[in-house]
Amino acid sequence: MFISLYSRNQLKTLKRNILMLGLFLAVGGIVALVRELHTEEIYRLEFLFAAVSLVISGGLAIAIGLGFIQLKEMYFSMNPTRLSFRHAFLGREHVLYWSQLSAIRVADSSIEFKLENNRKVTLQLSAIPDKRTARHIKASINLAALEQNVVVNGVLARPKGAIA
């Protein structure tokens, strides 16, 4: 199962909004920089720094909006051996093998995976824009965890020694 968390239209709208923000920041920074450099007074270092920061952050946003810096795809994927997800555009990809999982805690807004080495990885369901997709992912993880015999919210599907 593979689910892209944002549709093409949502990504297009997001990139357009980032581009507009970048243009606003870059133009504002350039105006502030020119104004600061053309004053007769002594240069104020903090204002120069702020103006240059605006130009740089605006330039980065423009590069993202125009596609020169690629946003990574936000997705959820699950198969019989592993599950993987990325829930932030510039965030890290998490790949979790079912054999590494010791427990899963499912809440309304998040799913916490506890690995055998006591490391915890959290999938924020609140970061998923479509609530129906979030519910589908939550239900799928619950079913797959039962199938893989992983503890979910303190309950094991087939206790050790039980006849299947």
Side-chain angles (χ1 to χ4, degrees), residues 74-132:
M74 292 177 50
Y75 73 94
F76 175 81
S77 175
M78 184 169 61
N79 63 33
T81 58
R82 66 178 174 85
L83 59 95
S84 59
F85 61 91
R86 178 182 291 122
H87 61 339
F89 284 114
L90 298 174
R92 181 175 163 222
E93 177 183 36
H94 297 281
V95 177
L96 308 171
Y97 291 91
W98 288 108
S99 60
Q100 295 176 329
L101 293 176
S102 63
I104 298 175
R105 190 179 65 78
V106 180
D108 288 336
S109 63
S110 67
I111 299 174
E112 186 178 272
F113 303 96
K114 185 176 179 188
L115 303 176
E116 288 178 345
N117 60 3
N118 287 330
R119 199 181 87 176
K120 294 179 181 177
V121 177
T122 304
L123 169 61
Q124 293 294 332
L125 295 173
S126 57
I128 299 172
D130 185 19
K131 299 303 175 201
R132 216 171 81 202

